[in-house]
Amino acid sequence: RKEVEQDPGPFNVPEGATVAFNCTYSNSASQSFFWYRQDCRKEPKLLMSVYSSGNEDGRFTAQLNRASQYISLLIRDSKLSDSATYLCVVNTNSGYSTLTFGKGTMLLVSP
Amino acid sequence: EAGVTQFPSHSVIEKGQTVTLRCDPISGHDNLYWYRRVMGKEIKFLLHFVKESKQDESGMPNNRFLAERTGGTYSTLKVQPAELEDSGVYFCASSQEMQGRTDTQYFGPGTRLTVL
């Protein structure tokens, strides 16, 4: 079983749609959770951290379910510029800060 | 403020040759990480420096890979001799030193390595 699993997509949605991505992680000791965004042939960029209480940043909402080892990202009112690959990232933090990445979910927003 | 920079952006070499990748972290960031993405796979951790010391090198694939960070500033990752399976994108990231929690890692643009 992979450490971080995501549906690779692609998710094809029209502008204005709401889309949700899910991710599961295998290591119950994981302590920090993130969504990164990666545009084609670019570096990953932090979109948002994910907290147990859930958190929102504008059109983006992230949720964490530790019991189910499940992370989600909801994007409301999709924009063309949201087209990218969304990476679910986990830090096990066994004293170190190394990140474990999922393969990513591709989102394509069309006019 | 300048971000993480990497050089070169692309490198094409033949199997058996040597390649050295360079990463300049964000100024003042003590933590420096190397990651790699091979085609079709997820980004994977290679190693982590805190200043000039290797904190964790558990992700280094084999002894053909040598990373250094002399003086605790920029880092180099040397592959010698390169093999076909070393092809991929090598990312460097840096973060500030934080007590007790993971700080944001900022990634460089990556070096795309192709071994023929």
Side-chain angles (χ1 to χ4, degrees), chain A residues 34-49 57 60 73 81 84-89 99 101, chain B residues 3-4 26 37 43 91-94 104-110:
Chain A
F34 311 92
W35 283 101
Y36 273 74
R37 171 195 167 126
Q38 186 173 25
D39 293 287
C40 187
R41 291 183 170 260
K42 299 285 189 179
E43 71 273 22
K45 291 187 178 179
L46 179 66
L47 178 66
M48 59 197 302
S49 300
D57 182 2
F60 300 84
L73 176 68
S81 57
T85 295
Y86 291 82
L87 305 170
C88 179
V89 184
L99 300 179
F101 286 79
Chain B
V4 177
I26 293 172
R37 184 169 201 162
I43 296 171
F91 290 105
C92 176
S94 73
T104 300
Q105 294 187 24
Y106 297 90
F107 282 76

Side-chain angles (χ1 to χ4, degrees), chain B residues 10-73:
Chain B
H10 292 81
S11 181
V12 180
I13 60 172
E14 292 189 351
K15 176 182 170 181
Q17 290 186 320
T18 297
V19 63
T20 300
L21 314 181
R22 173 172 169 143
C23 168
D24 286 78
I26 293 172
S27 177
H29 281 191
D30 288 337
N31 292 291
L32 187 150
Y33 309 83
W34 284 99
Y35 293 87
R36 175 175 75 171
R37 184 169 201 162
V38 298
M39 191 182 298
K41 304 276 190 177
E42 66 275 18
I43 296 171
K44 286 206 163 179
F45 166 77
L46 296 179
L47 87 159
H48 170 205
F49 284 99
V50 178
K51 297 184 181 177
E52 67 275 8
S53 300
K54 290 176 185 173
Q55 184 74 24
D56 179 4
E57 51 185 330
S58 60
M60 294 287 264
N62 51 61
N63 59 10
R64 296 185 293 102
F65 289 74
L66 175 64
E68 294 180 321
R69 193 184 181 193
T70 307
T73 54

Side-chain angles (χ1 to χ4, degrees), chain A residues 18 26 59 63 72 98 108:
Chain A
T18 295
S26 61
R59 298 181 294 107
Q63 296 275 356
S72 65
T98 59
L108 300 172

